[in-house]
Amino acid sequence: MKIGGFHKHSVTDYPGHKAAVIYTQGCNWRCPYCFYRSFVIPSRFQPSLPEDDILRCLADARSDIDAVVITGGEPTIQPCLSDFLRRVKKLGFKIKLETHGGRPAVLAELISEKLLDYIALDIKGPLHHYSRYVGTEVDPGIIELSLDLVLNSGVEYEIRTTLVGGLHTVEEVRAMAPMLAGSRRVALQAFKPPPGAKTGTLHSPSPDLFHAAGEILRDKVEELVVRV
């Protein structure tokens, strides 16, 4: 598995747990507002970190952390992901997976093997023009399938949407609402341009957009989390 980054200790990435964070290299999408381009664009990759070294660090840290977060990039494109997660599980850690939902077959496999304790699924926007948000052609049916898998998995989860000024509108949030309705936990996040990055017409969402999105979704989901 290609690992591009490793953070030994976090108290914010896995709710209620102290966790290490592993960043995989590579993604099959090109979201125009991606914050972690150094893990997405091959020309920006640093040398990969050896799996065995990461696992040794995790084993040594068992007195300090109780969970591991797998993010990226996009972890589900890694061909050895399930093997790696089995090794992490054997160390006694809970596992949180952060994914864009573009590989529902992989997600289904990980759920069926009970390798996941928490899933954070990104929903980028309304399905009718999903490719606009992810920078490549995507069959919206696979997003619906991944969402259905997560909602019915029995695994703790959150559905996340990052609002981007210049990309999302109130009407688009309203179009997303039926898809998110009934979710146990939905997180609204504000896009923050990476320092020094050229983002063109994209910018942080306005307070009005963020407020309107919260009003649209608050009564439709069990828990709405707002991150600005």
Side-chain angles (χ1 to χ4, degrees):
M1 191 168 78
K2 294 183 178 179
I3 298 173
F6 178 60
H7 185 58
K8 294 182 179 180
H9 191 274
S10 169
V11 295
T12 60
D13 287 273
Y14 192 141
H17 294 274
K18 297 176 181 178
V21 184
I22 294 172
Y23 299 87
T24 62
Q25 288 178 324
C27 185
N28 53 338
W29 292 359
R30 289 296 181 269
C31 302
Y33 54 92
C34 179
F35 192 87
Y36 292 111
R37 297 183 181 220
S38 60
F39 301 124
V40 169
I41 300 173
S43 62
R44 301 189 182 185
F45 289 175
Q46 297 295 316
S48 297
L49 304 173
E51 284 185 31
D52 288 343
D53 289 355
I54 298 298
L55 290 164
R56 276 193 291 270
C57 286
L58 292 176
D60 292 341
R62 280 180 290 194
S63 61
D64 298 317
I65 61 173
D66 61 350
V68 174
V69 177
I70 310 292
T71 186
E74 174 50 43
T76 62
I77 70 170
Q78 299 291 329
C80 300
L81 178 62
S82 58
D83 292 337
F84 182 78
L85 295 188
R86 289 187 201 101
R87 297 176 73 184
V88 172
K89 270 291 181 186
K90 286 182 179 179
L91 293 173
F93 292 109
K94 289 183 174 294
I95 295 175
K96 175 188 175 186
L97 175 72
E98 299 187 346
T99 179
H100 61 31
R103 301 289 299 278
V106 176
L107 193 54
E109 174 192 353
L110 300 177
I111 291 170
S112 67
E113 289 194 39
K114 302 187 184 304
L115 292 172
L116 305 178
D117 301 283
Y118 196 108
I119 304 169
L121 174 66
D122 288 312
I123 297 295
K124 308 291 187 177
L127 294 177
H128 61 277
H129 53 191
Y130 212 75
S131 298
R132 177 178 177 229
Y133 304 97
V134 303
T136 189
E137 290 299 317
V138 174
D139 175 4
I142 67 175
I143 307 304
E144 290 183 292
L145 180 54
S146 288
L147 179 60
D148 186 64
L149 281 167
V150 171
L151 296 182
N152 295 287
S153 66
V155 177
E156 191 176 1
Y157 69 83
E158 71 175 39
I159 310 302
R160 309 188 302 188
T161 292
T162 299
L163 295 180
V164 184
L167 187 61
H168 292 93
T169 65
V170 173
E171 290 73 21
E172 288 171 322
V173 175
R174 191 170 286 114
M176 294 171 59
M179 179 170 54
L180 302 178
S183 298
R184 188 180 312 131
R185 191 170 198 252
V186 170
L188 283 179
Q189 304 178 154
F191 168 64
K192 297 179 181 179
K198 297 178 180 179
T199 58
T201 60
L202 304 183
H203 51 84
S204 298
S206 69
D208 288 345
L209 173 58
F210 223 82
H211 176 76
E215 290 299 304
I216 290 167
L217 294 175
R218 185 166 286 108
D219 294 335
K220 295 178 175 63
V221 302
E222 291 185 27
E223 180 185 3
L224 181 68
V225 179
V226 176
R227 300 179 182 134
V228 294

